[in-house]
Amino acid sequence: MNAIAPTAADDSRDLADIRTDNRFRWLVTGAGVFVLVSLAAAALSMLWGGRAAFQKFGIAFLWTDEWDAVQQQFGALVPIYGTLVTAFIAMLIAVPISFGIAFFLTEIAPKWLRTPVGAAIELLAGIPSIIYGMWGLFVLVPVLAEHVYPWVDANFGQIPFVGVLFAGPPLGLGMGTAGLVLAIMVIPFVSSVMREVFLTVPGRLKESAYALGATRWEVVWDVVLPYTRSAVIGGIFLGLGRALGETMAVTFVLGNAHSLTMSLLEPGNSIAATIANEFTEADSEMYRSSLIALGFVLFIVTFIVLSIARLMLRSLNKREGN
């Protein structure tokens, strides 16, 4: 049989498909380049805006704890410390609770309960951060100051080495309160990611483990988590990125005291809260430059944290591949 010769219509369609494919490729390439350009532009603009502070204080700006607007002496150590501590507290609380929520919704909860509970958790992610801040200031802070922090100070404040973290006046405002509010804000993000990735585990794997006599905990720990480990870690670091950059909620409950303290009960400060509180009051070029330099430092800190997450995920993927 003779091969059917291509017609002009087929050639025209092939050319149209090639053009469409090229347009799509350039479109998605432009989207990727746009993200990179926006990221670089934001970083460079903050670096340029903070050049006066970096020129005057140099790299010592990162570990100087002085913040004196009158004497024009600024340092980023206290805001950096407060940012890292509050984010660490938030993740220390949020990760196990998020894991429990995802475990409950995928393995224990009856089917009729999974949808409304899942929707309620996702609804928490849509609440504006300023609402969390107002709730923390007017509801959570009085409760902690009157009932929780006095007990914490009395029972844990005298323990050697550890007591310094829990000793202090029960003001209600402080890094511990900010970490707790951040944890409540981060839980919907982390738990939603965990829940979705837990649902991707093939049912046959879990059924096989149950058939061998494994408990629910053993199935989750030995089957579900190894299967979804990379995605779970990615969700955790996504929540950490949110905690590092949160502004309004932290500003309400952190206390905004520019002092370096080990106690979680005492007020502190963070990079985002410092910028939000003081930018409108910056009455000199050096003051404004120092605040913009703080923004650049926050950018670098977040970039480093997310880069570490990517390296961990790549290492896990290589290990799983081997």
Side-chain angles (χ1 to χ4, degrees):
M1 298 179 63
N2 295 329
I4 300 176
T7 62
D10 293 333
D11 293 339
S12 176
R13 181 174 180 179
D14 291 340
L15 290 174
D17 291 340
I18 292 173
R19 293 193 189 99
T20 302
D21 185 67
N22 288 334
R23 293 192 194 101
F24 178 74
R25 182 173 60 187
W26 283 110
L27 181 63
V28 295
T29 302
V33 171
F34 174 77
V35 171
L36 295 178
V37 171
S38 300
L39 189 67
L44 291 176
S45 64
M46 287 185 291
L47 180 60
W48 179 256
R51 68 189 185 281
F54 288 125
Q55 288 173 356
K56 180 178 180 180
F57 306 114
I59 194 67
F61 179 76
L62 299 178
W63 57 74
T64 302
D65 61 353
E66 186 177 6
W67 191 270
D68 189 343
V70 177
Q71 301 297 327
Q72 298 290 291
Q73 296 295 321
F74 302 100
L77 179 60
V78 173
I80 292 175
Y81 173 76
T83 300
L84 295 178
V85 169
T86 53
F88 177 77
I89 295 172
M91 300 312 297
L92 194 64
I93 299 172
V95 170
I97 294 179
S98 299
F99 174 77
I101 293 172
F103 183 24
F104 172 77
L105 291 178
T106 56
E107 300 294 332
I108 297 178
K111 292 183 178 180
W112 62 268
L113 187 60
R114 295 179 182 179
T115 299
V117 173
I121 294 172
E122 294 174 356
L123 181 62
L124 290 175
I127 299 178
S129 61
I130 192 171
I131 302 300
Y132 282 106
M134 294 174 64
W135 169 80
L137 180 62
F138 296 113
V139 178
L140 186 61
V141 167
V143 172
L144 294 176
E146 295 177 12
H147 305 290
V148 180
Y149 284 169
W151 181 87
V152 170
D153 182 38
N155 290 273
F156 297 99
Q158 307 303 321
I159 300 177
F161 304 107
V162 181
V164 67
L165 298 175
F166 305 103
L171 302 176
L173 299 170
M175 291 186 290
T177 306
L180 180 58
V181 172
L182 279 178
I184 297 173
M185 297 180 63
V186 166
I187 284 173
F189 294 93
V190 181
S191 60
S192 296
V193 172
M194 287 188 177
R195 177 195 177 196
E196 294 301 324
V197 298
F198 284 179
L199 292 174
T200 63
V201 179
R204 288 175 294 181
L205 291 179
K206 296 189 289 186
E207 292 170 0
S208 299
Y210 283 126
L212 293 174
T215 62
R216 285 178 174 174
W217 169 253
E218 291 172 336
V219 169
V220 171
W221 189 257
D222 297 326
V223 177
V224 176
L225 276 181
Y227 189 88
T228 60
R229 180 169 49 192
S230 298
V232 167
I233 294 177
I236 291 173
F237 276 93
L238 178 65
L240 178 58
R242 170 70 189 274
L244 288 171
E246 179 53 44
T247 303
M248 294 309 300
V250 174
T251 303
F252 272 87
V253 300
L254 187 54
N256 306 311
H258 204 89
S259 59
L260 193 62
T261 176
M262 294 293 294
S263 176
L264 302 180
L265 308 187
E266 295 186 16
N269 220 332
S270 71
I271 296 177
T274 300
I275 296 173
N277 278 323
E278 302 187 25
F279 202 85
T280 56
E281 301 175 359
D283 54 0
S284 66
E285 180 63 27
M286 184 57 63
Y287 199 173
R288 286 191 296 270
S289 179
S290 299
L291 291 174
I292 297 175
L294 275 182
F296 179 74
V297 171
L298 178 59
F299 180 90
I300 295 300
V301 169
T302 306
F303 179 79
I304 291 174
V305 169
L306 297 183
S307 297
I308 292 174
R310 294 300 304 173
L311 292 176
M312 289 181 61
L313 293 177
R314 183 177 299 178
S315 176
L316 289 173
N317 290 333
K318 289 181 178 180
R319 189 179 306 172
E320 292 171 358
N322 293 333

